[in-house]
């Protein structure tokens, strides 16, 4: 670079340069936009008329008593309910302004973009390394030697590398529950999702593992958008930017997490966050 | 001082029940293992003293001579059954367990296929053999030959393979399927790489059982493969195929001692073949399952 071009950039120019580097530039600020969504299994209505945007790069916690429909809501966002007998939906879910049910939406690509982590760790019956790269292979993202690089990168990202680097070809079931969940997280991250859905990701884990997973989740934003179903109110407060309270299939209240917990507007929300209703 | 008495009145009865149950399970085990050992032992005792290695390398002369033609024939028939019944049976099982769409009441619409399979497995093998004779050997003018024999044996064992495959797939945890689905794997890819892989021991066991049945079958082969004292021909039609059970059965019914020797030799070879199959498949399964949840 010569002397002439190396002059001081104005703040505006910096902004423009950064905006150019930002992969999310020019994309809607709400990565997922749910509009008037109702979900039914047969004659039973599980979710009625929910409208809520999910802002890019944030963590949203979905809380509510068992049977409030929050898990069903979550599993709808990557269309995991589509094959369930009797499942119907009304309304729309937009991913980057495009309906997830639109005919131009490829289901497999949708699920690559919207990853999921389950309540119980579910590593596949293959080696640790093969687990990390399972999705990468399926989508043909990398192959051969590149897979080793992907495996190491992702295992480092979830803080598992040092624990497993000498046994990449071992069975994943010899790992502790917490390590298995981190492995599943590495597997989900490896395909480069934009949104990650987490269905009570730590409810099967001990407190130390829970802390490790929670700390990790905070490092994933703002690169990713996280939507977490949790029964652990403390967890919702610790990790989420916004919280949504579901009760009997309705989205009763939502807002910034501190506000929802400290000054809930709805009496049901107040009872739930204060532990008077489980 | 313990508040609970050292021995309840019921404790003795409970222990007696446990003991009784254990005795019954051991008895049941003996009923299974006893005859198997007895038969294997009997064949070994009768066959080994007169054993000649050239049985493996010389052709049969009916009631004497070697069994090379029958060994090659049985191996070829088993190979044919593995290919035909293995592929159809496993695919049928995968269809029933994974693909047949569930009906509104949650039952699989594969019900029709299931009934057909049950009916098929209920046919006596000699009936299937006769059907093969009428329809293929005579009806299509195929003559006693390899292809009708493989088709009829396959028809006979497809139900075993399909059912073993279906039940093995039902044992695979739902979390594997969900995990594959959530990663954006297609149904077929997830089945191949994750689901079928973990059901492999059950599938292989079913296939093995089917092969053992096929290899040990006689009646349908009499109607379809015919009999031959020469090595099987390359041609799948119009050329009879030799097989071990033919000599076990036919030569035992002969009065000559030399024929009985052939009969025992054929039995021994068949048993060794089946046991080898068993061991090899276990080794394969153990290798593919070294990352399974049960093998930690």
């Amino acid at each position: 670079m010569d002397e002439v071009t190396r002059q001081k950039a104005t703040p505006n120019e910096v902004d423009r340069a950064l905006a150019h580097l930002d992969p999310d530039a020019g994309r809607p600020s709400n990565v997922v936009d749910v509009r008037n969504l109702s979900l039914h299994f047969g004659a039973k209505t599980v979710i009625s008329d929910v409208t809520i945007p999910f802002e890019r790069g944030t963590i949203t916690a979905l809380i509510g008593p068992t049977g409030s429909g929050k898990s069903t809501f979550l599993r709808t966002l990557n269309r995991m309910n589509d094959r369930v007998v009797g499942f119907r939906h009304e309304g729309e879910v937009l991913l980057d302004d495009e309906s997830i049910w639109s005919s131009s939406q490829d289901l497999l690509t949708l699920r690559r973009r919207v990853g999921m982590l389950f309540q119980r760790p579910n590593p596949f019956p293959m080696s640790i390394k093969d687990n990390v790269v399972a999705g990468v292979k399926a989508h043909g993202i990398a192959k051969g030697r590149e897979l080793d690089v992907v495996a190491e990168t992702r295992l480092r990202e979830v803080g598992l590398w040092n624990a497993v680097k000498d046994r990449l070809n071992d069975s994943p079931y010899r790992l502790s529950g917490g390590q298995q969940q981190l492995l599943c997280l590495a597997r989900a991250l490896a395909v480069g999702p934009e949104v990650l859905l987490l269905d009570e990701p730590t409810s099967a884990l001990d407190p130390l593992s829970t802390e490790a997973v929670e700390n990790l989740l905070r490092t994933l934003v703002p690169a990713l958008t996280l939507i977490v179903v949790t029964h652990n109110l403390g967890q919702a407060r610790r990790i989420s930017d916004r919280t949504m309270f579901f009760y009997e299939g309705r989205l009763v209240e939502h807002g910034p997490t501190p506000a929802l917990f400290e000054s809930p507007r709805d009496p049901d929300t107040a009872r739930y966050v204060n532990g008077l209703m489980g | 001082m313990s508040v609970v008495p050292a021995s309840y009145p019921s404790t003795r009865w409970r222990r007696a029940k446990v003991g009784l149950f254990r005795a019954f399970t051991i008895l049941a085990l003996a009923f299974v293992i006893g005859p198997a050992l007895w038969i294997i032992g009997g064949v070994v005792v009768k066959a080994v003293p007169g054993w000649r290695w050239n049985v493996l390398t010389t052709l049969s002369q009916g009631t004497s001579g070697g069994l090379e033609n029958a060994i090659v024939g049985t191996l070829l028939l088993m190979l044919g059954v593995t290919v035909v019944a293995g592929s159809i049976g496993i695919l049928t099982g995968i269809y029933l367990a994974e693909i047949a769409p569930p009906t509104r009441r949650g039952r699989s619409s594969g019900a029709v296929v299931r009934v057909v399979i049950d009916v098929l497995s209920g046919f006596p093998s000699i009936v299937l053999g006769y059907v093969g004779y009428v329809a293929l050997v005579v009806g299509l003018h195929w003559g006693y030959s390899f292809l009708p024999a493989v088709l009829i044996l396959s028809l006979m064992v497809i139900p075993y393979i399909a059912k073993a495959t279906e039940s093995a797939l039902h044992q695979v945890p739902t979390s594997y399927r969900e995990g594959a689905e959530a990663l954006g794997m297609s149904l077929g890819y997830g089945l191949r790489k994750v689901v079928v892989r973990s059901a492999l021991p059950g599938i292989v066991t079913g296939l093995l059982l089917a092969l053992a049945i096929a290899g040990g079958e006689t009646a349908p082969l009499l109607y379809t493969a015919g009999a031959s004292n020469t090595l099987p021909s390359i041609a799948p039609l119009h050329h009879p195929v030799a097989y071990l059970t033919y000599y076990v059965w036919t030569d035992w019914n002969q009065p000559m001692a030399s024929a009985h020797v052939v009969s025992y030799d054929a039995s021994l070879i068949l048993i060794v073949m089946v046991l080898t199959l068993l061991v090899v498949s276990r080794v394969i399964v153990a290798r593919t399952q070294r990352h399974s949840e049960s093998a930690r």
Side-chain angles (χ1 to χ4, degrees), chain A residues 62-79:
Chain A
L62 312 189
I63 60 169
T66 305
S68 57
K70 56 196 188 310
S71 277
T72 304
F73 177 82
L74 189 79
R75 295 167 64 93
T76 301
L77 302 183
N78 66 344
R79 293 179 53 186

Side-chain angles (χ1 to χ4, degrees), chain B residues 7 38-39 53 77 85 134 140 167 194 241 251 261 264 271 285:
Chain B
S7 172
W38 187 49
I39 292 171
W53 284 104
L77 288 172
V134 172
L140 292 179
S167 67
V194 181
V241 182
D251 282 358
V261 171
Y264 275 115
I271 286 175
V285 167

Side-chain angles (χ1 to χ4, degrees), chain B:
Chain B
M1 250 306 261
S2 170
V3 193
V4 182
S7 172
Y8 284 105
S10 64
T11 304
R12 211 177 302 153
W13 171 229
R14 199 190 68 224
R15 288 208 176 126
K17 276 196 293 188
V18 171
L20 206 64
F21 181 74
R22 182 171 295 201
F24 272 122
T25 54
I26 291 171
L27 199 67
L29 190 67
F31 263 110
V32 176
I33 292 182
L37 289 181
W38 187 49
I39 292 171
I40 294 174
V43 168
V44 168
V45 165
K46 292 279 173 83
V48 168
W51 179 256
R52 305 151 294 140
W53 284 104
N54 64 10
V55 164
L56 303 178
T57 53
T58 51
L59 295 180
S60 170
Q61 290 150 22
T63 54
S64 61
L67 287 164
E68 189 194 0
N69 52 327
I71 295 169
V72 175
T74 292
L75 288 176
L76 283 179
L77 288 172
M78 282 174 140
L79 188 70
V81 169
T82 309
V83 173
V84 175
S87 50
I88 297 177
I90 290 172
L91 288 175
T92 307
I94 290 176
Y95 172 81
L96 287 175
E98 306 286 338
I99 297 169
T103 59
R104 198 159 272 285
R105 284 150 79 192
R107 297 219 320 262
S108 165
S109 66
V112 179
V113 181
R114 237 173 246 119
V115 168
V116 169
I117 285 177
D118 285 341
V119 169
L120 194 58
S121 67
F123 281 136
S125 61
I126 192 144
V127 173
L128 287 178
Y130 195 64
V131 168
Y133 175 76
V134 172
L136 305 176
V137 175
V138 178
L140 292 179
H141 304 290
W142 283 1
Y144 290 125
S145 51
F146 179 74
L147 197 59
V150 166
L151 291 183
I152 292 302
L153 280 182
S154 295
L155 200 59
M156 202 182 89
V157 298
I158 281 172
Y160 294 97
I161 302 174
K163 290 199 154 194
T165 303
E166 188 190 359
S167 67
L169 287 171
H170 280 313
Q171 308 284 323
V172 177
T174 314
S175 62
Y176 290 0
R177 293 186 186 83
E178 282 190 330
E181 219 179 321
L183 272 181
M185 292 183 184
S186 67
L187 181 65
Y189 189 92
L191 278 178
R192 279 205 312 282
K193 299 287 175 178
V194 181
V195 179
V196 171
R197 192 193 180 110
S198 48
L200 212 57
I203 296 176
V204 169
T205 307
L207 189 63
L208 198 79
L209 176 71
L211 277 185
I213 291 172
E217 195 53 67
T218 323
L221 290 178
L222 289 173
Y223 273 124
T224 51
S228 159
N229 282 338
T230 58
L231 280 177
S233 152
I234 304 266
L237 299 178
H238 306 300
H239 291 269
V241 182
Y243 44 95
L244 285 165
T245 49
Y246 173 82
Y247 293 99
V248 175
W249 183 71
T250 319
D251 282 358
W252 180 249
N253 289 326
Q254 302 295 323
M256 299 83 87
S258 70
H260 290 183
V261 171
V262 173
S263 175
Y264 275 115
D265 285 351
S267 305
L268 183 69
I269 293 169
L270 203 53
I271 286 175
V272 168
M273 273 166 58
V274 170
L275 290 181
T276 309
L277 211 62
L278 211 92
V279 171
V280 169
S281 70
R282 289 291 117 180
V283 170
I284 294 172
V285 167
R287 271 201 63 77
T288 58
Q289 293 309 110
R290 65 193 190 282
H291 297 307
S292 81
E293 258 176 286
S294 53
R296 56 177 91 200

Side-chain angles (χ1 to χ4, degrees), chain A:
Chain A
M1 200 184 287
D2 60 57
E3 285 299 316
V4 183
T5 54
R6 203 197 288 165
Q7 40 187 277
K8 217 171 174 186
T10 64
N12 256 342
E13 282 169 337
V14 172
D15 277 354
R16 238 175 292 141
L18 286 179
H20 185 66
L21 289 174
D22 184 358
D24 295 332
R27 308 171 78 178
S29 64
N30 295 326
V31 58
V32 175
D33 204 343
V34 177
R35 295 188 182 163
N36 302 107
L37 185 70
S38 295
L39 305 173
H40 316 272
F41 289 117
K44 192 166 180 274
T45 297
V46 183
I47 287 285
S48 42
D49 198 21
V50 167
T51 297
I52 184 85
F54 291 90
E55 198 185 327
R56 194 181 299 278
T58 60
I59 301 184
T60 305
L62 312 189
I63 60 169
T66 305
S68 57
K70 56 196 188 310
S71 277
T72 304
F73 177 82
L74 189 79
R75 295 167 64 93
T76 301
L77 302 183
N78 66 344
R79 293 179 53 186
M80 290 287 281
N81 286 327
D82 280 16
R83 294 213 310 151
V84 177
V85 180
F87 175 75
R88 283 181 300 123
H89 73 272
E90 287 146 22
E92 267 309 341
V93 175
L94 305 179
L95 177 67
D96 276 350
D97 282 347
E98 191 191 357
S99 166
I100 61 170
W101 288 292
S102 101
S103 54
S104 59
Q105 190 77 258
D106 175 52
L107 179 62
L108 304 185
T109 307
L110 171 76
R111 289 189 176 144
R112 188 192 64 68
R113 294 175 62 194
V114 184
M116 188 162 210
L117 192 65
F118 296 86
Q119 184 172 6
R120 301 192 67 83
N122 60 345
F124 295 142
M126 49 182 79
S127 74
I128 291 174
K129 185 199 133 188
D130 285 343
N131 259 285
V132 181
V133 299
V136 175
K137 274 191 195 164
H139 290 282
I141 297 169
K143 59 184 178 210
R145 302 287 304 164
E146 298 162 7
L147 293 173
D148 295 339
V149 179
V150 171
E152 176 170 349
T153 311
R154 296 307 176 176
L155 286 169
R156 280 190 191 283
E157 193 174 353
V158 300
L160 212 50
W161 176 250
N162 284 329
V164 303
K165 66 179 177 209
D166 297 324
R167 40 181 179 150
L168 290 175
N169 290 315
D170 278 9
S171 162
Y173 303 107
R174 293 197 192 98
L175 301 174
S176 73
Q179 289 175 322
Q180 289 186 28
Q181 191 66 310
L182 289 173
L183 177 65
C184 293
L185 186 57
R187 182 177 72 188
L189 292 174
V191 295
E194 295 153 46
V195 179
L196 201 56
L197 311 174
L198 304 98
D199 193 356
E200 298 183 45
T202 61
S203 65
L205 305 185
D206 65 89
L208 280 178
S209 304
T210 299
E211 195 184 345
V213 171
E214 284 182 7
N215 290 341
L216 190 61
L217 294 184
R218 279 308 321 177
T219 67
L220 297 179
V221 286
L224 269 69
T225 307
L226 268 50
I227 305 176
V228 189
V229 163
T230 180
H231 275 128
N232 182 335
L233 295 177
Q235 178 169 70
R237 288 186 87 146
R238 283 191 297 274
I239 65 170
S240 72
D241 304 301
R242 298 182 66 85
T243 299
M244 299 166 57
F245 173 63
F246 281 86
Y247 184 49
E248 292 178 340
R250 288 175 302 114
L251 174 56
V252 174
E253 185 170 350
H254 63 92
T257 299
L260 188 125
F261 276 93
E262 278 148 34
S263 49
R265 293 186 304 271
D266 186 275
D268 282 335
T269 314
R271 279 171 54 219
Y272 186 74
V273 300
N274 290 318
L276 301 176
M277 170 172 77

